[in-house]
Amino acid sequence: MADKQKKIFDISLFKRLLNYIKPYRLIFIVSLICVIGLAVFGATRPYVLKEAIDIQIALKKYDGFLFYIVLMLGLLFLEVICQLLFIYYASWLGQSVVKDIRVKLFKHMLKFKMTYYDNSSVGVLITRAVTDMERIADIFGQGLFMIFSDILKMAVVAGVMLYINAKLSLIVFVTLPVIVFATKIFQRYMKRAFEDVRTEVSNLNSFVQERVTGMKILQLFTREKTEYKNFTKINERHKKGWLKTVWYNSIFFPIAEFLSSVTLATIILVGGYNIVAEGSITTIGQLVSFTMFIPMLFRPLNQIANKFNTLQMGMVAADRVFKVLDTESQINDDGKLEADNFKGDISLKNVRFSYIQDEEVLKSVSLDINSGDTIAIVGATGAGKSTIINLLNRFYDIDSGEITIDGTNIKDFSLNSLRNQIAVVLQDVFLFADTILNNITLNNPDISETDVVEAAKAIGIHDFISSLPNGYHYNVKERGVMLSSGQRQLISFLRAYMTNPSILILDEATSSVDSYSEQLMQDATDKITQGRTSIIIAHRLATIQQADKIIVMDAGQIVEIGTHQSLLEKEDGYYRNLYEVQFLNAEAV
């Protein structure tokens, strides 16, 4: 790892990036042609000027002077056209490549296990998908082609200079190794600096994203001053990272400019002396052309260092993005069967599972659920209730054992078809910054507004939605902040209902609703659970008394199974103790 960090330029990473250019070969070729044109036309202008001075002006012949003027204008025009096409197509190529990588990255992230998101910062992932992508685009728009253009221009200029006057050229070339050496040192330090900058950008994005999302908690617990201090520290590290790059630039570019100026002065001194001296082969035209050639030779060298900074930032960003793309954290979707209208027989056989290795959450759990039954799972927090739901949807894969639906292992079904048959209403409802209608349909073209309205009427929440401004087209804003917890829960319930699932899961679905919303939810639950397998996870035991079967869990194991009445009849039973504690507390209130 240390050796890789010391590399100034990662060739293998660059080759991988170039693979994304293949669909745009024609644009790539056009950009290269423009680059070559810039080098040739740019280097030809000083030579034409030399010829005009030596052949026309020095000899006081003006009959062909117009030709040189037209030729100079023509070369300048062609150079401008090449510059225009180069800037446009290089940037177009960069954005096209980034579009493809971003789509691939997002598609890859959509298939990650929940474990990956459990252990990853949202802010860092956003940085990878947005900010880092723009840095990759700069590789093509401002880095790769610019560097190639500068190198080619330097090579052409150096060749023309040698052709015109080898003696003066050698004076110029003596300085070049010093600048090349300084550039190499500069690049090495800049790469390290840019790695630090990208790390601090990710930290800053992650910190801000989490604090903005949790702003209510910060204000409730008056943590504004503390978080302000923390932000100041992170922002200071971010500033220091950037200042390091500024410091390296402030050292390198003045040195390069000083060497360029000294070289130019030497050429003027030596060339001017040779012109004055009798028998010198140096001409005024050569001297004038060299004063144009020197900036064209040295400035690209300085620009290469600057563009290499851009290239380095892009390469660092590409390395980070490719690490996400190379992450193997996906649920295997090898199932060949398409799940379609489950009967709803569910079976768990000796299921073991752990989020963290060697820390089992489920310990050899076995459970049978008959089709059409409504079962409830109860237990203390951390007992493993929600884990069963996560495993049934294959958000995680079990460590051992087997889960079947209608006698078929759930791994034999394709993921999409499996999850299409299971609807889940979660305790923590997530709504997008969109209309109620789009949050219900999730932009599914097969679900019309009429279907949604009819469904809302069927479960009794149409009046609530109609009372909002714009009704079903009311924008609930980010995370549904314009609605109460109970209203968000009702929208989530309707969203699940619209999928017409074979299996319905309510995970603490009534834990955060008021009594009125809870009654609406209960009425809707009675309707939607009819004729389909339903699993209800609840702390509030009053909501599950009519369940066909109640599963009682503790510390990752099933400790009791039965109906509400049969479980109450058990002396010192776990469920009976839970029930008595809840109702004694309710009576006390």
Side-chain angles (χ1 to χ4, degrees):
M1 183 68 180
D3 292 338
K4 185 176 181 179
Q5 288 180 344
K6 291 179 181 179
K7 288 183 181 179
I8 296 177
F9 192 76
D10 192 331
I11 299 297
S12 61
L13 178 64
F14 188 66
K15 287 181 178 179
R16 182 174 179 181
L17 195 60
L18 287 180
N19 286 331
Y20 289 90
I21 295 180
K22 290 180 180 179
Y24 311 104
R25 291 187 185 92
L26 181 60
I27 299 299
F28 181 75
I29 293 171
V30 170
S31 299
L32 284 181
I33 292 174
C34 291
V35 166
I36 295 172
L38 284 172
V40 172
F41 299 139
T44 304
R45 282 191 295 109
Y47 179 81
V48 172
L49 180 61
K50 178 197 83 69
E51 291 293 296
I53 293 174
D54 289 342
I55 297 176
Q56 298 292 312
I57 298 176
L59 300 178
K60 297 182 179 181
K61 295 180 180 180
Y62 306 110
D63 52 324
F65 195 64
L66 181 61
F67 167 76
Y68 287 102
I69 293 176
V70 173
L71 183 58
M72 285 286 288
L73 290 174
L75 290 171
L76 184 60
F77 176 76
L78 291 173
E79 190 175 359
V80 169
I81 294 298
C82 287
Q83 185 77 15
L84 186 151
L85 294 176
F86 165 70
I87 293 174
Y88 176 79
Y89 283 118
S91 298
W92 186 93
L93 181 64
Q95 290 301 323
S96 297
V97 167
V98 162
K99 179 205 68 175
D100 293 344
I101 298 177
R102 185 182 283 124
V103 168
K104 185 176 181 179
L105 177 67
F106 189 71
K107 183 179 180 180
H108 190 66
M109 290 168 59
L110 285 174
K111 296 180 180 180
F112 277 156
K113 296 178 182 179
M114 288 299 107
T115 305
Y116 181 85
Y117 294 105
D118 294 340
N119 299 318
S120 301
S121 164
V122 175
V124 170
L125 291 177
I126 291 174
T127 301
R128 300 293 173 267
V130 181
T131 309
D132 284 342
M133 288 297 179
E134 292 306 316
R135 299 289 78 80
I136 294 175
D138 290 341
I139 291 178
F140 301 96
Q142 302 176 31
L144 173 65
F145 287 114
M146 287 291 189
I147 291 174
F148 180 70
S149 174
D150 289 340
I151 292 175
L152 186 59
K153 183 179 289 187
M154 289 172 60
V156 174
V157 166
V160 175
M161 288 171 66
L162 282 171
Y163 175 76
I164 293 175
N165 191 312
K167 183 178 179 181
L168 293 180
S169 298
L170 291 176
I171 296 174
V172 176
F173 295 161
V174 167
T175 317
L176 286 179
V178 180
I179 297 182
V180 170
F181 177 75
T183 301
K184 188 174 181 180
I185 299 297
F186 174 69
Q187 291 168 354
R188 180 180 295 116
Y189 281 98
M190 285 301 290
K191 185 175 189 296
R192 296 175 186 172
F194 282 134
E195 286 175 345
D196 293 341
V197 167
R198 296 313 307 155
T199 298
E200 293 306 328
V201 167
S202 295
N203 292 339
L204 188 61
N205 285 346
S206 180
F207 183 90
V208 172
Q209 188 274 333
E210 288 181 349
R211 270 57 184 184
V212 170
T213 302
M215 188 59 68
K216 182 182 291 186
I217 298 298
L218 297 183
Q219 294 182 354
L220 280 172
F221 289 89
T222 63
R223 303 295 296 171
E224 294 94 334
K225 289 184 178 179
T226 301
E227 294 304 323
Y228 172 75
K229 291 179 181 177
N230 292 335
F231 176 80
T232 302
K233 292 177 182 178
I234 294 176
N235 198 37
E236 181 66 22
R237 293 202 302 268
H238 178 263
K239 184 194 75 172
K240 287 180 179 179
W242 274 110
L243 285 180
K244 190 182 293 185
T245 68
V246 173
W247 169 245
Y248 294 148
N249 279 314
S250 65
I251 293 176
F252 173 76
F253 287 106
I255 291 175
E257 191 63 33
F258 172 76
L259 291 173
S260 175
S261 299
V262 169
T263 304
L264 181 60
T266 303
I267 288 295
I268 294 174
L269 181 65
V270 173
Y273 176 78
N274 287 340
I275 291 173
V276 173
E278 257 187 65
S280 172
I281 59 173
T282 302
T283 66
I284 297 176
Q286 291 176 349
L287 184 60
V288 171
S289 66
F290 265 71
T291 61
M292 293 181 65
F293 277 131
I294 289 174
M296 293 176 69
L297 188 65
F298 280 79
R299 190 174 297 117
L301 192 58
N302 297 345
Q303 290 176 348
I304 286 176
N306 195 25
K307 296 301 181 292
F308 202 87
N309 295 345
T310 301
L311 183 61
Q312 291 285 36
M313 288 191 70
M315 293 297 288
V316 170
D319 183 53
R320 295 176 185 273
V321 169
F322 286 142
K323 282 180 180 177
V324 179
L325 282 171
D326 292 339
T327 300
E328 293 296 333
S329 180
Q330 297 181 338
I331 297 290
N332 292 327
D333 191 8
D334 300 328
K336 304 299 182 183
L337 300 178
E338 292 297 314
D340 185 24
N341 294 324
F342 286 139
K343 285 172 53 184
D345 290 318
I346 302 172
S347 177
L348 283 73
K349 299 176 183 177
N350 301 318
V351 172
R352 292 183 178 274
F353 174 74
S354 54
Y355 293 104
I356 302 174
Q357 190 173 3
D358 298 327
E359 295 183 18
E360 284 192 335
V361 178
L362 296 183
K363 304 170 183 177
S364 192
V365 171
S366 295
L367 173 65
D368 291 315
I369 303 171
N370 296 325
S371 64
D373 280 356
T374 296
I375 73 151
I377 305 178
V378 300
T381 300
K385 305 184 301 296
S386 296
T387 299
I388 290 178
I389 306 309
N390 289 330
L391 297 179
L392 192 60
N393 282 279
R394 291 199 68 200
F395 290 133
Y396 305 85
D397 273 337
I398 59 178
D399 298 337
S400 64
E402 184 182 43
I403 301 176
T404 65
I405 297 179
D406 295 345
T408 303
N409 193 310
I410 59 174
K411 292 183 179 180
D412 294 334
F413 296 111
S414 67
L415 273 178
N416 283 345
S417 67
L418 173 68
R419 291 172 180 171
N420 280 338
Q421 294 301 314
I422 303 174
V424 183
V425 179
L426 298 171
Q427 176 184 7
D428 184 18
V429 178
F430 186 94
L431 297 181
F432 296 94
D434 207 333
T435 64
I436 288 179
L437 178 64
N438 288 338
N439 269 290
I440 293 170
T441 66
L442 295 178
N443 295 306
N444 186 340
D446 296 329
I447 303 176
S448 67
E449 182 174 352
T450 302
D451 294 333
V452 174
V453 173
E454 291 301 319
K457 290 178 179 178
I459 65 174
I461 67 172
H462 172 70
D463 292 340
F464 140 63
I465 297 177
S466 298
S467 67
L468 297 172
N470 297 322
Y472 289 85
H473 298 279
Y474 179 62
N475 194 312
V476 300
K477 304 300 181 183
E478 187 174 1
R479 299 184 67 87
V481 294
M482 303 304 292
L483 301 177
S484 68
S485 297
Q487 289 172 331
R488 291 198 295 270
Q489 200 70 265
L490 290 170
I491 296 301
S492 177
F493 196 89
L494 181 56
R495 178 163 61 190
Y497 181 48
M498 288 305 303
T499 64
N500 191 27
S502 299
I503 298 171
L504 174 67
I505 298 170
L506 305 180
D507 188 357
E508 306 286 1
T510 61
S511 62
S512 59
V513 300
D514 53 47
S515 57
Y516 174 72
S517 297
E518 182 178 358
Q519 186 58 50
L520 287 176
M521 190 74 73
Q522 191 61 52
D523 293 341
T525 301
D526 293 340
K527 293 178 182 178
I528 194 174
T529 55
Q530 292 179 3
R532 58 167 52 89
T533 303
S534 302
I535 302 174
I536 302 173
I537 296 176
H539 284 301
R540 298 166 66 176
L541 305 185
T543 63
I544 59 169
Q545 294 182 22
Q546 302 304 316
D548 296 307
K549 188 189 295 183
I550 297 175
I551 313 298
V552 185
M553 297 191 67
D554 182 43
Q557 295 178 312
I558 296 176
V559 294
E560 292 178 350
I561 299 178
T563 63
H564 172 69
Q565 193 59 43
S566 66
L567 291 174
L568 285 181
E569 292 173 358
K570 290 186 177 182
E571 292 290 338
D572 294 325
Y574 194 100
Y575 179 82
R576 179 172 175 172
N577 290 334
L578 286 176
Y579 184 81
E580 289 177 349
V581 168
Q582 282 198 15
F583 276 86
L584 285 174
N585 289 339
E587 290 176 2
V589 174

